[in-house]
Amino acid sequence: MDQDRDSESIPPPYSSQNGSSEINVLVVGETQHGKSTLVQSISSYAGAGDEGIEIGDNSQSCTRKVGRYSITTTINQYQLVDNNGHPILEQPWKQLYKLKAREARVEKVAEARQRPLITFNFFDTPGLGDSGGRDMEIMVDILGHLATLKHVNAMIYVRAADKPFSTSFAKFFDYLRRSMPSLCNGLIILHTKYTTAQLNEALDRGEDDPEEHRRQTFAKKTGLDLPHFFLDNEPSERSPFAQLRTLNETSNLLSHVESQVPLEVTGLRLLKTERIHRFQSFVASDLRELTRRLEARWEELRKAASVAEQLTMDTEAETTRCEAAIEQIESQIRDIGGAGLEILGTRTVAQDYKIYKHLIKNVKFNLKDQTVYFEGDCKIQDVRKSASSGCKWGSESTRGSSWHGTLSSNMMRSMHGTATFYGRTCDINAKEVALLRASANQQSTQLDFIRNQAKKLRRLAGGDEEMVKKLRGGIEACNRQIKLADSELYEVSVHEKVKDLYKVDGRPSRPAVIQFIEALDPELAMLMLSYG
């Protein structure tokens, strides 16, 4: 799969249409399905060798942590040529499949303009289903690493073409949907180990389109229409046709990735592992004890106070409760009401031109143009398209949440293309944001009333007002953190601050609990030191 690099001229630098000079690609999937081999294959495509990428054997994965591999390349199309350098065209599948290395070779298709160099940052991740039984810990590592990136252009889910979409797939895919739904909507499905020999055997068995069968099976399992690519990671050196298919499918994959809008990495959630659950259950227990002590101290102050002071303390408590509720609602609105873009969905066209079926049997020189329709849940802000060599999109129309376009191909060319649709986060979540705003307004009205009552009562009462506020604020903070500790999801940004604490077996020490709470709420940690 070596390429002939053009040493006489330097390709122009990449000028991103997306406004970003880095293209970040996350590669995920189960173990032994070819994730690292994919990165190695793309590195070879770029003429950079294997970049020290380790490949696992048949029993376990070599990838133990997230690895970053920067690969710079141009995106080209390739063709078969004979020993005289003439392109080999219009030959049936069987003849192309049987070509030997002594009869043909792969060459880059000459183009009128020099293609730019593009740098892709591939993040190779440990595989799920590893023999070590570390699935959830692995996902924590993946999402924790993802949270350190400013943006992600694409996420590739790798699955071996000879493996069904089984229970393990359903479990992993459900995790992706729950922890990062916006990225999951734009997932790219890559079927690896899709050898030319296997495809030839399937055609001999009368299977008309095994690729379409995989697409339909995936759509039935997930309900999603996502782009699919089929790649032989390690094509036979004895088969020029196998090498050609791998090179051009790699080109199609990189073209699609390059066309995607960079998405901000926000709102990621981690499903807690058993170890994290255990640690945070101890934290919640200590917080409940702190709550009991703060409430006891608050009751002592209340009993010692006059009637006016008691009423003042009650209104202060309600004020703190309302303020905490409003703060939580506004935090939710910030999470889902931003102006950034999210993927609404994708549409894919994949149709192969076959000499016997289309030319010999039906005397068709071109595949029929394919008109694609998309209806989003909100206004479409951007559409990014990619198409294989010899194909192009046209006749596009976007009106509000609706889009349609037509993909056409040149004579005797297969037709492969994708369209990815983007909407604003605030538009996608408009109904939920409206409900949250209404709730926040209701709480604000109630808060204004309580504050007016408190002003009148303070004229009659004395007491330690600052101490009362401190106690009630601490009680609300405890309740908030207990709720987070008891939930099955938590913020990825928190994980980076406290991940080393989870290494403790058994009950964590008091300093460890305080250190954990300090990472979330420094003021609450000070209260625990005072009352814990």
Side-chain angles (χ1 to χ4, degrees):
M1 284 176 42
D2 292 337
Q3 301 180 40
D4 292 328
R5 287 282 195 174
D6 186 354
S7 59
E8 296 180 0
S9 61
I10 300 175
Y14 176 56
S15 178
S16 172
Q17 60 176 323
N18 301 326
S20 172
S21 59
E22 290 189 344
I23 296 180
N24 294 329
V25 186
L26 190 69
V27 182
V28 299
E30 295 162 69
T31 192
Q32 292 303 306
H33 280 251
K35 296 183 304 301
S36 297
T37 311
L38 166 66
V39 179
Q40 189 181 67
S41 178
I42 293 173
S43 182
S44 180
Y45 172 95
D50 63 12
E51 291 283 323
I53 303 163
E54 294 186 357
I55 307 298
D57 57 27
N58 291 327
S59 60
Q60 69 179 77
S61 169
C62 271
T63 306
R64 294 299 179 184
K65 60 181 180 179
V66 177
R68 171 175 172 159
Y69 302 96
S70 293
I71 300 173
T72 300
T73 184
T74 56
I75 301 176
N76 306 290
Q77 286 294 317
Y78 295 84
Q79 62 184 353
L80 287 177
V81 299
D82 59 25
N83 291 328
N84 296 318
H86 299 141
I88 299 175
L89 303 171
E90 304 177 17
Q91 287 195 15
W93 164 275
K94 284 291 185 182
Q95 290 186 26
L96 295 172
Y97 172 70
K98 292 179 180 179
L99 284 172
K100 305 298 182 183
R102 64 177 180 273
E103 299 170 315
R105 66 179 185 275
V106 179
E107 280 192 356
K108 188 188 304 181
V109 176
E111 299 194 39
R113 62 184 179 86
Q114 186 76 24
R115 287 178 176 261
L117 280 170
I118 305 174
T119 297
F120 297 87
N121 297 321
F122 287 93
F123 295 87
D124 185 21
T125 63
L128 293 192
D130 195 283
S131 57
R134 299 170 50 247
D135 284 1
M136 292 299 102
E137 282 83 358
I138 287 171
M139 285 304 299
V140 167
D141 183 38
I142 291 172
L143 293 179
H145 195 93
L146 186 59
T148 65
L149 303 178
K150 292 182 179 180
H151 71 270
V152 171
N153 296 70
M155 181 163 63
I156 299 175
Y157 174 77
V158 176
R159 190 162 190 83
D162 59 347
K163 301 296 183 182
F165 295 109
S166 57
T167 302
S168 61
F169 160 78
K171 176 183 176 182
F172 181 42
F173 198 77
D174 179 64
Y175 194 114
L176 291 178
R177 277 181 145 171
R178 296 170 68 186
S179 58
M180 40 184 167
S182 61
L183 292 179
C184 198
N185 287 339
L187 196 66
I188 298 169
I189 311 302
L190 181 71
H191 307 264
T192 56
K193 306 180 182 179
Y194 187 67
T195 68
T196 305
Q198 288 172 333
L199 178 56
N200 185 66
E201 291 172 5
L203 296 174
D204 285 343
R205 291 193 300 268
E207 298 177 21
D208 185 54
D209 196 342
E211 294 177 12
E212 183 59 27
H213 175 72
R214 291 281 290 182
R215 291 188 187 95
Q216 291 178 1
T217 302
F218 176 87
K220 186 180 293 185
K221 286 279 187 179
T222 65
L224 295 175
D225 178 15
L226 297 176
H228 293 250
F229 296 87
F230 296 80
L231 189 68
D232 181 359
N233 301 39
E234 300 174 287
S236 170
E237 294 182 359
R238 297 190 298 271
S239 173
F241 187 47
Q243 295 181 44
L244 175 73
R245 285 172 55 81
T246 293
L247 284 168
N248 281 339
E249 189 70 347
T250 302
S251 296
N252 294 338
L253 173 65
L254 294 179
S255 293
H256 176 74
V257 168
E258 187 274 330
S259 72
Q260 302 304 287
V261 172
L263 298 175
E264 292 183 9
V265 183
T266 57
L268 298 180
R269 299 289 188 273
L270 288 170
L271 277 173
K272 296 175 184 175
T273 65
E274 183 179 345
R275 180 181 289 271
I276 293 174
H277 261 304
R278 185 169 60 251
F279 181 95
Q280 293 195 12
S281 68
F282 288 122
V283 172
S285 176
D286 287 356
L287 286 171
R288 288 187 175 92
E289 176 59 23
L290 177 59
T291 302
R292 187 191 66 76
R293 294 183 183 186
L294 293 177
E295 287 178 338
R297 177 58 181 149
W298 188 80
E299 281 297 327
E300 288 176 5
L301 291 175
R302 192 175 185 279
K303 288 178 181 178
S306 65
V307 173
E309 288 171 345
Q310 289 179 6
L311 290 173
T312 300
M313 291 178 68
D314 290 342
T315 56
E316 289 292 353
E318 189 63 16
T319 298
T320 304
R321 188 199 65 76
C322 284
E323 288 174 343
I326 291 171
E327 181 182 347
Q328 185 175 5
I329 292 170
E330 289 177 345
S331 176
Q332 289 178 274
I333 291 174
R334 286 193 298 271
D335 284 344
I336 65 173
L341 295 181
E342 285 189 25
I343 296 175
L344 294 171
T346 63
R347 288 292 180 267
T348 302
V349 176
Q351 190 174 355
D352 289 326
Y353 184 89
K354 298 176 180 178
I355 297 293
Y356 176 77
K357 178 181 177 181
H358 296 103
L359 182 60
I360 298 175
K361 190 175 180 180
N362 296 305
V363 196
K364 291 183 177 179
F365 292 91
N366 293 81
L367 293 174
K368 183 180 178 181
D369 291 356
Q370 296 291 313
T371 299
V372 180
Y373 297 89
F374 180 80
E375 184 67 39
D377 294 329
C378 66
K379 184 179 180 181
I380 297 171
Q381 297 293 336
D382 199 356
V383 182
R384 295 299 172 94
K385 303 172 296 298
S386 65
S388 59
S389 178
C391 299
K392 65 178 181 179
W393 288 95
S395 304
E396 287 186 71
S397 175
T398 304
R399 292 187 178 181
S401 61
S402 300
W403 177 91
H404 70 262
T406 301
L407 185 65
S408 59
S409 62
N410 294 340
M411 185 180 296
M412 302 178 69
R413 287 295 190 99
S414 295
M415 186 184 296
H416 293 264
T418 62
T420 307
F421 307 90
Y422 299 84
R424 287 197 180 95
T425 302
C426 54
D427 294 337
I428 295 171
N429 301 306
K431 292 182 180 179
E432 189 174 352
V433 169
L435 290 173
L436 288 171
R437 291 196 187 283
S439 178
N441 291 336
Q442 184 178 4
Q443 291 284 350
S444 294
T445 300
Q446 185 177 356
L447 181 60
D448 289 341
F449 174 79
I450 294 171
R451 281 173 173 167
N452 287 331
Q453 292 295 105
K455 286 180 182 178
K456 296 175 183 178
L457 289 169
R458 285 193 196 102
R459 298 190 189 103
L460 303 174
D464 192 342
E465 185 178 332
E466 287 303 316
M467 176 58 71
V468 170
K469 284 185 176 181
K470 184 177 181 180
L471 290 172
R472 290 314 307 181
I475 292 169
E476 290 299 329
C478 282
N479 290 333
R480 184 166 59 251
Q481 294 303 329
I482 290 170
K483 185 178 180 180
L484 292 174
D486 288 340
S487 69
E488 67 172 348
L489 297 168
Y490 81 119
E491 294 280 351
V492 177
S493 56
V494 172
H495 178 71
E496 284 301 307
K497 302 176 184 177
V498 299
K499 61 183 181 182
D500 290 338
L501 296 174
Y502 297 135
K503 297 176 182 178
V504 176
D505 290 321
R507 183 175 182 85
S509 64
R510 187 167 181 272
V513 171
I514 292 174
Q515 185 181 346
F516 179 87
I517 294 172
E518 186 178 21
L520 307 177
D521 188 334
E523 291 185 8
L524 183 57
M526 292 299 295
L527 273 178
M528 178 165 276
L529 283 171
S530 300
Y531 291 89

